[in-house]
Every structure is written in structure tokens, then in C-alpha cells.
Amino acid sequence: MAKRILFSAAFFLCACILHAQELQSKVTVLATRVNSTVDKTVFTNLQTQLTNLINNRKWTTDVFLAQEKIQCNFFLNIESVVEDNVYKATLTVQAARPVYSSSYQSALVNFQDADVTFKYINFQPMEFNENRVQGSDAEASNLTAVFAYYIYMILGFDYDSFSPKGGADYFQKAQNIVSNAPESRNISGWKAFDGTRNRYWLANNITDPRYNTLHDIFYGYYRDGMDHMYEDQVTATDNVIGALEKIQDFNQQFPNTMIVQFFFQNRSDELVGIFKNAEPSVKSRAVQLLSQLDVANLAKYKDQLK
């Protein structure tokens, strides 16, 4: 894995160093919908064990510094009890990376997974083995498989944003989890037939060779666009427009892929901020592109990018 080269003095002591980041994660387990007869300390312990798994495990082979860790949040909301010690939940995953020469964090991942079923018994060890994704108990191993999948996705998007196609190894690790995912009647989200916006399709979109241009788009948006916003706003804004034009071309060639919706999820405020002070012609082009790519927020773009 090629290590990323970062340049901002706002975050580092020297202008050019080789390094990589890992995770500084906050995990929140919410169980307000679970029957009061269930011992809620189970979920407190689950939260602690998941936090330790993510933050204490070495997920990459690269050297990293404390200030370089990727900030991320996982919100596991327990929706119901399927059977004894087996729970149905939604998982919201959020991760961001810093923009050079600023305190701003640009989102890498902001996604809700509604298909997380898992088994957890109080004080059960929380471990992940990428060589044996499905353990002897499918429901018990499903939760760590889901978390590991999103961790590798976060790492993949982070590395892609700093070097061309830099996240390939981590996207492949996520794909390997999909290929070897736990299976049972209660588990979903890992198969193509489980839906059109799930873990299978996200991994498929980001590793399919036909969609290789996506990696150039991510790099162009973050590294050529966002990272230069504070030193040369005009050029950086043009580069963001260029990335959006490439997304439009991709979307026309491969309509209705999950990855386009995934990219624009909760990004409208950031995009408005990028273009609100741009020249009228640039604003007009941005609204034209976003009206096709992020239809859900069309009214916002038209109102705030007049």
C-alpha cells in the first residue's frame, strides 16, 4: 500500500511526510426500543467491546501518528429482539477526513445500514478474523463482519482521497468479507438479491473494473478540489466541478448505481458552501449538474445558489 503524502502545516510538523491513518472511533449502542426485561448492561458492555475492537486493532500495515487517525462514529440502534440474545438493528456509519489548511472535515462516509442482525451474549469476546469471517455461529460473527466491512470501506475511501487508487487494498478486503460473509435465515445485506442499496452493491460498485473511474473522481474531488480550497478557491472550485462532470458521465453510462447516491448522502451543505461564492456561471453549472445527480436536494441548490 502506497502511503499518503500530506502537506498541510495545520496538521503536521513538516511540509511533506509519509504516513497513514487509522481510526479514532466513537461507538454508541442505543437500546431504547428493547423491552425493559432485557438487562441493559449487555448493551453497555457491547458498546465498550466494539469500541475496543475498532480502536485497539491494527487494521493496516502502515505507520500512523495519533493526530493522523480518521475520526469516525458508529451508531448501533437496536430495533428489536429477534430471539434470545439475537437482535435486529440499524447501523449509522460516519467518517470524515481533514481538509488541508483548515479545521474543516469533509465526509468520507455517511450511511445507514438497516440490515444488521446479530447475536451477542454479555461479555462474549468481540473478535474479527479476516481469514475466517464466518465463525461457528453465524449470527455471533455477523456483527464483527459488518463493522470490519465498514472499517475497510472507510480506509479505502480515505486512502483514495489522498492518492490515486490508493484504497484498492482496503476495498478488496471489504469485498472479501462480502464473499465470505456469515449466512443464516436472519442475516441479510450481503447478497445481491437482498436489495439494491446494501453492503453487496457498495462493494461491487467500488471494486468492479468497469467503474474504475470512480477512484479518479474521489481523488479529484478531495485532493484536487477540497484540499486546495483555502489557497486557490477558483481553481479548487473548478476541480470540484470537474469531478461532478465525471460523476455525471459515469451516471449516464451506468445509471442507478448505489455509489452515486452513497457519495451525495448528506453532502448538500458542503456543496452549497463550495459554490455559494462562485461566479454566476459556475453556480449555474453546479446547479445544472446537481439537479441531475442529487435530486433530493434540488430545492436547496436552487434556493441557496441563486
Side-chain angles (χ1 to χ4, degrees):
M1 169 60 65
K3 298 180 182 179
R4 303 179 310 171
I5 302 176
L6 301 188
F7 301 94
S8 173
F11 295 97
F12 307 98
L13 298 177
C14 62
C16 182
I17 56 174
L18 290 175
H19 86 294
Q21 292 177 317
E22 286 204 9
L23 308 174
Q24 183 59 55
S25 177
K26 179 180 179 182
V27 179
T28 303
V29 177
L30 304 173
T32 56
R33 298 184 182 182
V34 176
N35 192 295
S36 59
T37 59
V38 177
D39 182 4
K40 297 300 177 65
T41 62
V42 170
F43 304 112
T44 302
N45 292 333
L46 174 61
Q47 178 175 294
T48 299
Q49 287 191 308
L50 284 170
T51 301
N52 291 337
L53 171 68
I54 297 170
N55 292 337
N56 296 341
R57 179 187 170 95
K58 182 76 173 159
W59 297 96
T60 77
T61 59
D62 290 322
V63 176
F64 65 97
L65 302 176
Q67 67 266 33
E68 298 168 350
K69 293 183 180 181
I70 305 166
Q71 303 298 311
C72 53
N73 295 293
F74 294 84
F75 299 92
L76 185 68
N77 192 2
I78 312 296
E79 300 286 347
S80 62
V81 179
V82 178
E83 55 190 67
D84 285 348
N85 303 313
V86 178
Y87 306 95
K88 171 75 173 176
T90 60
L91 176 65
T92 300
V93 183
Q94 299 173 332
R97 55 88 104 189
V99 171
Y100 291 162
S101 302
S102 77
S103 59
Y104 182 70
Q105 298 269 332
S106 182
L108 291 167
V109 175
N110 197 329
F111 182 69
Q112 185 178 86
D113 187 327
D115 294 311
V116 182
T117 301
F118 66 96
K119 181 178 182 179
Y120 178 72
I121 300 172
N122 210 5
F123 302 112
Q124 166 189 319
M126 194 64 59
E127 300 172 344
F128 174 72
N129 183 347
E130 63 182 296
N131 296 316
R132 192 184 179 201
V133 176
Q134 175 165 310
S136 57
D137 188 323
E139 280 90 357
S141 58
N142 193 50
L143 186 61
T144 52
V146 169
F147 269 77
Y149 168 88
Y150 283 113
I151 288 166
Y152 285 131
M153 278 293 177
I154 289 169
L155 288 167
F157 285 114
D158 184 69
Y159 275 76
D160 253 20
S161 78
F162 284 105
S163 63
K165 300 178 178 62
D169 288 352
Y170 300 108
F171 290 132
Q172 187 57 56
K173 285 179 179 290
Q175 178 60 60
N176 290 343
I177 294 174
V178 173
S179 300
N180 297 283
E183 296 184 41
S184 85
R185 61 184 177 83
N186 291 322
I187 293 174
S188 60
W190 297 113
K191 303 295 184 183
F193 53 75
D194 288 338
T196 59
R197 299 287 188 271
N198 61 19
R199 296 182 292 277
Y200 173 90
W201 287 112
L202 180 58
N204 170 273
N205 287 181
I206 206 63
T207 58
D208 191 324
R210 294 178 302 160
Y211 305 158
N212 201 40
T213 187
L214 289 170
H215 305 282
D216 299 324
I217 291 170
F218 297 141
Y219 179 78
Y221 180 87
Y222 290 103
R223 187 69 192 96
D224 295 333
M226 296 301 294
D227 281 343
H228 293 280
M229 200 62 67
Y230 290 86
E231 64 183 40
D232 187 347
Q233 187 172 1
V234 173
T235 300
T237 302
D238 286 344
N239 289 338
V240 171
I241 284 285
L244 294 180
E245 289 174 338
K246 289 180 180 179
I247 296 175
Q248 182 189 48
D249 291 342
F250 173 85
N251 198 44
Q252 289 173 345
Q253 186 177 4
F254 305 105
N256 201 36
T257 55
M258 178 184 176
I259 193 66
V260 172
Q261 182 188 53
F262 179 89
F263 177 81
F264 285 101
Q265 188 73 38
N266 292 317
R267 197 177 295 276
S268 58
D269 288 342
E270 177 172 282
L271 291 164
V272 167
I274 290 170
F275 295 114
K276 66 180 178 181
N277 294 319
E279 293 294 323
S281 61
V282 176
K283 284 185 182 180
S284 177
R285 180 56 174 154
V287 172
Q288 181 185 24
L289 289 164
L290 293 169
S291 67
Q292 300 172 52
L293 296 170
D294 191 16
V295 178
N297 290 294
L298 176 57
K300 176 188 287 188
Y301 297 130
K302 286 187 173 181
D303 178 60
Q304 298 187 33
L305 297 177
K306 293 178 180 178

